[in-house]
Amino acid sequence: MPDKQPAPPIELLTRFVTRSGSHWLTLISILIAGGLFALAITLVPLVVGQLFTQILPGGNRQLMQSLPLILMILLLAAIFADWVVYYVLERLLGRAILDIRTELFKKLLALPPACSDFPAETISLYFFQSIEKLGHNVCLLGVCLSRDLLTAAGLLGVMAWLNPEMSLLVLAMLATIFFIGQIFRANARQQDMLGQKQYEVSRGLSKALRLNRIIHLDKGYEQEIRHTRNSFEQLQSFSQKQFRQTKLMELLVYVLLIGVLTAFLYYLLQQLASNQLTAGDAAAFFMAGAMLIFPLQRLFSINLLLKQCSEALQVIFPLLDQDSRIVEENPYTTQFGRGKGKLRFEGVSFRGGATECQLPHFNLEIASGQKIALINRDANINRLFADLVCGFVQPSTGRILLDDNDTKRINPAELCSYIAWIAADEDLLGDTVAINIAYGSACCSREIAITTAAHASQAMEFIRKLPQGLQTKINQPALTFSDDQRQRILIARALLKNPSIIILDETTACFNTDNTALLQALQVLLNNRTVLILSSRPVMLNLAGQQFDPEKPALISACHSDGCTVR
């Protein structure tokens, strides 16, 4: 990404809030609700002062009976207005955050597959740490500007009107109890639960990006994006529920604090023999000073909030501004049909690029239907070799031919249709079994074709026992799939695609070959197809006819076969 002068925080905040469109009506409603809250809170000290005045001898008893009702109405109005401010802000920010998270995933998914292996910690930084921090701070800024600023001005005006000299003294006293507002932070236990859920989603996103090669080959971009958005919506629903509970507790504590202060001042004033202020004015004054704590706490933190917002936005927007596009399939491109899967490497080498892996100069020819195990100890080297076959990276020298066609000249979408990449730890989408089998380019397949593929992969053995068969939702709480069942669904997906080249990836997890049904499914999948096996396990090596070390271009014969030669 090119180096640019960081944009001002206000400009970045404006882009963030208006990313989903103009929100003038929403902002006006926030200001109106904030003004109503400020008016109600400003009148509370005056009503409390009148209440204490009427309690003293000579007071109006009829008015004294009406004042508690007026006080209750003001408090209810303040609670309602405060809830409206938070609710509208949360809806506005929630939509912006959901759109940004989806757009971030699109950008990362559109990166070259060889550059998309992000650890869960990095995913969490992009999707949760930065965005949650941003949303929280923007919400506080909105409260400061729409509610606390007006409230502080109103309360200071009341205090200055009652006694200007003592107003300065109270402001000094408020500085010593500034951190009382920290009590109203979100519950630590709920925050830990939210962090755990975010990390689980981050791990899922990290795995999806690490398996980006499979998504590119199977053209599953839209399904992955919809699945990821659903995960974000579920997480956001949990976060919103926690948010509402926390805010409700804060409001209840706020009202309780007002009641406690009122009772304390009532007791104190009864004990005073004399004062420069009347009893009512003293009560109003101290009530206004106590209520100033919370708005001033937020107002004093505006600079810190702006700085934290700017830091989070500087992480998010550089990625959002990248011009990365997913390569879409051209429906008018001439299709060659299912190829034979013959591969030939002519003077191929690889140096530099997005990875630090290097391959020496070599020539290699793999006949159609040949099965090769890549046995280099460095999994990245084996993946680099597979990436070259898929066209995810281009060789530094030489060329790669598929069925005597240079892969550089083959449409990327068409090249993907030749190849299926199956990773042992690939997750299933939270949708029906049928949609998981018909993933990507085959999503419009008929049920008979899906059923045939499921039978061939030995998956119908357990699918027919599911509540709705092929239409059973994967993510039901009471439904779990074993590793071999999940892997058989992945094999059914590959059989439905019917590629000429299969890549079996055991880089980070293993196929459950102890299961007889899965082993049979693998044998059906690999029959009459060119196969690259990324594994070091003997049981997988036995499925290969030859072994090949990409860093040491020498073929080690594992069984009698003349289908593969190295020069």
Side-chain angles (χ1 to χ4, degrees):
M1 290 176 287
D3 293 334
K4 296 182 179 179
Q5 188 71 20
I10 299 300
E11 178 183 338
L12 293 175
L13 280 171
T14 303
R15 287 184 59 192
F16 169 73
V17 175
T18 60
R19 187 171 181 84
S20 301
S22 178
H23 303 284
W24 285 111
L25 291 177
T26 302
L27 296 176
I28 290 173
S29 65
I30 292 173
L31 289 174
I32 293 174
L36 176 61
F37 177 90
L39 178 62
I41 291 298
T42 301
L43 293 176
V44 165
L46 298 178
V47 174
V48 171
Q50 285 298 315
L51 178 63
F52 280 92
T53 299
Q54 304 309 323
I55 289 175
L56 296 177
N60 188 331
R61 298 299 175 182
Q62 185 176 3
L63 179 60
M64 184 184 69
Q65 293 176 356
S66 302
L67 287 174
L69 178 61
I70 296 174
L71 181 61
M72 183 178 296
I73 292 174
L74 290 175
L75 291 177
L76 289 175
I79 291 175
F80 172 75
D82 191 49
W83 181 257
V84 170
V85 170
Y86 276 108
Y87 178 77
V88 176
L89 273 172
E90 181 266 335
R91 289 293 299 272
L92 173 63
L93 296 176
R95 179 59 184 271
I97 287 173
L98 183 60
D99 289 342
I100 285 180
R101 280 175 170 161
T102 305
E103 187 66 24
L104 280 173
F105 184 68
K106 287 182 181 179
K107 294 291 185 179
L108 292 177
L109 195 61
L111 293 175
C115 306
S116 58
D117 192 356
F118 291 91
E121 290 75 13
T122 303
I123 296 298
S124 181
L125 174 64
Y126 273 125
F127 289 92
F128 300 114
Q129 296 178 24
S130 297
I131 293 181
E132 290 292 338
K133 177 182 177 182
L134 176 63
H136 175 71
N137 290 328
V138 171
C139 184
L140 290 181
L141 277 173
V143 170
C144 283
L145 298 176
S146 65
R147 188 198 72 179
D148 293 331
L149 186 62
L150 296 175
T151 302
L155 292 174
L156 285 172
V158 169
M159 294 174 66
W161 177 65
L162 293 171
N163 193 309
E165 293 79 10
M166 287 194 65
S167 299
L168 298 176
L169 179 60
V170 169
L171 289 177
M173 294 173 58
L174 287 175
T176 63
I177 55 173
F178 177 78
F179 292 103
I180 291 180
Q182 299 298 323
I183 302 172
F184 300 96
R185 298 290 183 183
N187 182 274
R189 180 173 174 272
Q190 289 185 335
Q191 288 293 330
D192 290 341
M193 291 176 58
L194 178 61
Q196 183 179 359
K197 288 182 177 291
Q198 290 173 349
Y199 183 73
E200 291 173 358
V201 175
S202 296
R203 286 197 306 174
L205 297 179
S206 178
K207 182 177 288 187
L209 292 170
R210 178 165 49 79
L211 300 174
N212 199 11
R213 299 167 177 83
I214 299 171
I215 297 173
H216 274 262
L217 291 174
D218 291 343
K219 306 179 186 69
Y221 315 119
E222 296 300 326
Q223 287 171 271
E224 287 291 342
I225 290 169
R226 287 196 298 271
H227 173 64
T228 302
R229 187 180 181 93
N230 288 337
S231 298
F232 288 154
E233 287 177 344
Q234 293 174 7
L235 183 63
Q236 190 164 301
S237 176
F238 176 85
S239 177
Q240 289 171 357
K241 181 180 178 181
Q242 174 186 322
F243 176 85
R244 296 186 188 106
Q245 291 175 348
T246 301
K247 288 305 165 190
L248 182 59
M249 289 301 298
E250 287 185 4
L251 292 174
L252 292 176
V253 171
Y254 191 77
V255 173
L256 179 62
L257 179 61
I258 293 175
V260 171
L261 287 175
T262 303
F264 172 75
L265 291 174
Y266 178 76
Y267 175 79
L268 179 63
L269 291 175
Q270 281 188 333
Q271 307 303 312
L272 293 177
S274 61
N275 199 328
Q276 293 182 353
L277 296 173
T278 65
D281 289 346
F285 185 89
F286 286 107
M287 178 63 71
M291 296 174 67
L292 260 179
I293 295 174
F294 303 106
L296 288 180
Q297 179 186 7
R298 294 189 180 95
L299 290 172
F300 289 156
S301 64
I302 281 184
N303 288 335
L304 178 61
L305 293 176
L306 285 172
K307 180 180 178 181
Q308 292 176 343
C309 288
S310 178
E311 291 174 354
L313 290 166
Q314 295 291 352
V315 172
I316 297 169
F317 274 112
L319 180 59
L320 288 176
D321 292 338
Q322 285 191 88
D323 186 18
S324 54
R325 300 182 180 87
I326 295 177
V327 179
E328 299 291 344
E329 181 178 3
N330 182 356
Y332 304 105
T333 302
T334 302
Q335 300 293 320
F336 297 139
R338 183 176 181 272
K340 298 178 180 179
K342 176 184 175 182
L343 288 168
R344 187 164 76 248
F345 299 77
E346 296 181 349
V348 171
S349 67
F350 182 86
R351 297 183 181 278
T355 67
E356 297 181 357
C357 300
Q358 298 184 0
L359 291 179
H361 182 279
F362 69 95
N363 297 290
L364 173 66
E365 185 173 321
I366 304 177
S368 175
Q370 185 64 33
K371 299 170 182 59
I372 303 297
L374 305 180
I375 59 173
N376 192 278
R377 294 183 178 181
D378 187 351
N380 292 325
I381 293 293
N382 296 332
R383 278 198 166 187
L384 173 60
F385 185 90
D387 285 343
L388 288 168
V389 173
C390 297
F392 294 149
V393 295
Q394 297 299 326
S396 302
T397 62
R399 62 177 186 163
I400 303 171
L401 291 90
L402 173 61
D403 295 337
D404 298 322
N405 295 294
D406 191 339
T407 55
K408 290 183 179 179
R409 300 181 181 275
I410 300 177
N411 183 285
E414 187 176 357
L415 181 60
C416 289
S417 67
Y418 276 87
I419 306 169
W421 190 314
I422 307 176
D425 60 342
E426 183 180 354
D427 285 334
L428 300 176
L429 294 178
D431 215 313
T432 65
V433 175
I435 288 179
N436 271 278
I437 294 176
Y439 176 82
S441 59
C443 59
C444 297
S445 300
R446 295 181 179 178
E447 186 169 347
I448 187 171
I450 296 173
T451 304
T452 301
H455 275 293
S457 69
Q458 310 297 318
M460 284 304 296
E461 171 190 337
F462 63 88
I463 291 176
R464 63 167 58 97
K465 299 177 183 178
L466 297 176
Q468 289 84 36
L470 285 167
Q471 302 307 318
T472 302
K473 289 277 189 177
I474 292 286
N475 57 351
Q476 294 182 24
L479 189 63
T480 57
F481 289 85
S482 62
D483 287 343
D484 66 271
Q485 291 174 338
R486 175 177 52 80
Q487 291 162 358
R488 276 184 275 173
I489 291 176
L490 297 176
I491 292 173
R493 178 188 297 175
L495 287 169
L496 183 62
K497 185 178 181 180
N498 193 25
S500 57
I501 298 175
I502 297 291
I503 300 173
L504 290 182
D505 186 356
E506 284 196 337
T507 302
T508 54
C510 297
F511 289 94
N512 187 13
T513 49
D514 293 335
N515 183 277
T516 305
L518 177 66
L519 197 55
Q520 291 175 354
L522 282 173
Q523 291 171 347
V524 171
L525 175 66
L526 305 186
N527 187 37
N528 293 326
R529 290 184 172 90
T530 303
V531 181
L532 300 179
I533 300 176
L534 283 62
S535 176
S536 59
R537 293 197 304 143
V539 65
M540 297 299 290
L541 297 180
N542 289 338
L543 296 175
Q546 302 285 346
Q547 298 177 355
F548 179 70
D549 186 345
E551 275 193 317
K552 301 174 182 178
L555 199 64
I556 305 172
S557 191
C559 61
H560 295 291
S561 175
D562 56 359
C564 185
T565 59
V566 174
R567 298 184 295 278

